[in-house]
């Protein structure tokens, strides 16, 4: 019945939604009982202490479903690129480690940074939500993700240009032996 | 039973089957979440109910009804069909979201069965969650058949659909919208306001791949943004918990492939308007 009430609403508008939700909370019937239940609605709206249900619904913040007229962000192309990068990294990492050279290292740096950026961005978008952190902190979180990614890219390119390079660096890491092993 | 005990001495060989083991009841404890909106300041608590399993039908819903009838009539929960087809009695039983009416009571007496409302939902009372947002999201995907040319009222003809095209709907149409899957999804917990959730997305897919539906472009374009579909990270709690054995995770993956543009919806094997054209030409 609640669902059929929703089907009668003319699309979703935040103002109307709360009103509709209020009516639903008092469970009016679609027929004659509507009239008799309209009185309790007014009473309930005055005295909020006796109807916590309405409090729960009133404090419910849902973002309205977009109308088709609004501009819609297209995330589908980005999603494809994210998967392509992940797939490309699978053969590239062993290949680059086996044959250290500047080209593979640069490609590795860019793809790894992109991959980590999208991963961290997803974490920030999923968990640092405005509903618990307020309006400013989520933006700071995304800013931090950008900062970390730029720093990572910069650092990796520094290693490539002014140091041994990524592949060689990783190989050298494995070449470290303990004093006990060296004998 | 006690009468038979009196006769054991007289006949000697008559063994009493009224042993203490069968006289003692098999008592199972149910730990049920309680909260009353009429006492909103009282924090939610768990109330223990004892139920004799020898005197109770096998499903969790039967135990809840027995508790409501015999012990505490104020225990509040949704229920209707008692056979797993309506989706009303969806709740969290021993940590798993299922329908109470088709969930067998765990016969292990030593452990209580914990019954909680669906996770991360506003609670109306006791085990009743507020599914307003869930229904609103279902409405937003326009769950009805849409065609370019709507039939003239009074002159509708049957829309044709090949058997293979109909098979594509198997595993999608059986959804009872119980919300077990969506409320088991961590992404829906954290972003339930903007992420549609597995139940609604599976229904969106059900209409997208229906061969008779012609609004595929429009349906897909409504799902393109960062939140509606793409908060799914293939956690797959949804498929694991579906009490009807459906696979919302797979449906969402199919939506993603359709959104990517790499996979396209195949044209219908049988022209749905075939019968209409035939009657028009006659």
């Amino acid at each position: 019945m609640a669902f059929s009430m929703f089907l009668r609403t003319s699309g979703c508008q935040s103002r109307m939604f709360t009103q509709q939700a209020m009516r639903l909370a008092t469970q009016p019937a679609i027929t004659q009982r509507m009239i008799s239940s309209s009185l309790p609605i007014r009473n309930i709206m005055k005295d909020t202490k006796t109807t916590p249900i309405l409090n729960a619904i009133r404090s419910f913040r849902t973002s309205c479903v977009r109308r088709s007229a609004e501009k819609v962000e297209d995330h589908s192309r980005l999603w494809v690129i994210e998967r392509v990068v992940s797939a490309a990294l699978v053969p590239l990492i062993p290949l680059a480690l086996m044959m250290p050279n500047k080209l593979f290292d640069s490609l590795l740096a860019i793809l790894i940074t992109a991959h980590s950026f999208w991963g961290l961005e997803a974490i920030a978008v999923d968990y640092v939500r405005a509903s618990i952190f307020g309006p400013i902190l989520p933006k700071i979180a995304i800013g931090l993700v950008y900062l970390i990614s730029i720093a990572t890219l910069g650092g990796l390119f520094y290693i490539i240009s002014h140091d041994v390079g990524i592949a060689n660096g990783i190989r050298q890491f494995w070449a470290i032996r303990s004093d006990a092993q060296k004998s | 039973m006690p009468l038979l005990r009196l006769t054991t001495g007289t006949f000697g060989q008559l063994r009493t089957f009224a042993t203490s083991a069968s006289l003692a009841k098999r008592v199972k404890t149910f730990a049920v979440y309680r909260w009353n909106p009429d006492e909103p300041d009282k924090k939610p608590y768990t109330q223990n109910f004892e139920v004799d399993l020898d005197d109770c039908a096998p499903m969790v819903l039967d135990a809840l009804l027995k508790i409501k009838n015999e012990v505490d009539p104020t225990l509040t929960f949704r229920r209707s069909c008692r056979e797993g087809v309506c989706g009303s009695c969806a709740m969290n039983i021993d940590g798993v979201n299922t329908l109470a009416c088709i969930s067998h009571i765990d016969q292990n007496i030593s452990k209580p069965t914990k019954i909680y409302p669906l996770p991360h939902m506003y609670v109306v009372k006791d085990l009743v969650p507020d599914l307003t947002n869930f229904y609103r999201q279902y409405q937003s995907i326009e769950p009805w058949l849409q065609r370019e040319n709507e039939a003239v009222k009074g002159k509708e003809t049957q829309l044709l659909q090949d058997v293979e095209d109909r098979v594509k709907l198997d595993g999608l149409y059986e959804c009872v919208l119980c919300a077990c899957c969506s409320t088991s999804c961590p992404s829906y917990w954290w972003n339930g306001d903007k992420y549609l959730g597995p139940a609604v997305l599976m229904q969106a897919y059900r209409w997208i791949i229906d061969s008779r539906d012609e609004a595929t472009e429009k349906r897909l374009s409504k799902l393109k943004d960062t939140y509606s579909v793409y908060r799914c990270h293939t956690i797959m709690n949804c498929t694991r918990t579906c009490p009807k054995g459906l696979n919302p995770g797979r449906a969402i993956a199919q939506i993603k492939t359709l959104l990517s543009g790499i996979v396209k919806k195949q044209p219908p094997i049988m022209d749905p308007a075939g019968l209409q054209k035939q009657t028009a030409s006659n």
Side-chain angles (χ1 to χ4, degrees), chain B residues 83-228:
Chain B
E83 58 181 349
V85 293
C86 72
S88 303
C89 60
M91 53 186 74
N92 188 290
I93 298 166
D94 278 330
V96 176
N97 288 353
T98 41
L99 302 172
C101 60
I102 49 176
S103 176
H104 284 272
I105 301 172
D106 183 4
Q107 298 292 308
N108 185 351
I109 316 266
S110 57
K111 290 185 307 180
T113 290
K114 297 197 198 116
I115 302 179
Y116 277 71
L118 291 174
H120 211 274
M121 286 273 130
Y122 286 111
V123 171
V124 174
K125 182 176 181 179
D126 290 346
L127 301 170
V128 176
D130 180 7
L131 295 171
T132 315
N133 185 37
F134 181 74
Y135 296 140
R136 185 187 61 84
Q137 287 168 329
Y138 182 56
Q139 180 200 8
S140 75
I141 59 153
E142 296 177 5
W144 54 82
L145 198 66
Q146 295 178 41
R147 292 186 63 78
E148 309 252 318
N149 306 313
E150 295 294 336
V152 176
K153 287 271 178 278
K155 293 206 178 74
E156 299 101 334
T157 51
Q158 182 189 32
L159 292 170
L160 303 179
Q161 184 174 57
D162 190 82
V163 171
E164 276 183 44
D165 280 333
R166 174 59 183 82
V167 165
K168 289 179 194 159
L169 298 178
D170 288 339
L172 302 174
Y173 78 90
E174 299 97 326
C175 174
V176 293
L177 294 172
C178 64
C180 282
C181 60
S182 289
T183 49
S184 71
C185 175
S187 278
Y188 193 72
W189 294 343
W190 314 142
N191 299 106
D193 53 339
K194 291 183 279 186
Y195 173 50
L196 292 177
V200 170
L201 286 172
M202 189 158 87
Q203 289 311 296
Y205 181 62
R206 177 254 176 276
W207 290 107
I208 289 170
I209 53 126
D210 193 328
S211 64
R212 303 162 293 178
D213 184 79
E214 288 174 341
T216 313
E217 289 264 330
K218 185 174 78 147
R219 291 182 190 276
L220 287 173
S221 72
K222 286 191 121 184
L223 299 173
K224 270 189 320 192
D225 63 299
T226 20
Y227 278 94
S228 300

Side-chain angles (χ1 to χ4, degrees), chain B residues 8-27:
Chain B
T8 49
T10 49
F11 287 105
Q13 280 140 9
L14 184 71
R15 292 186 55 102
T16 166
F17 59 84
T19 58
S20 55
S22 64
L23 265 183
K25 304 175 288 181
R26 283 194 311 139
V27 174

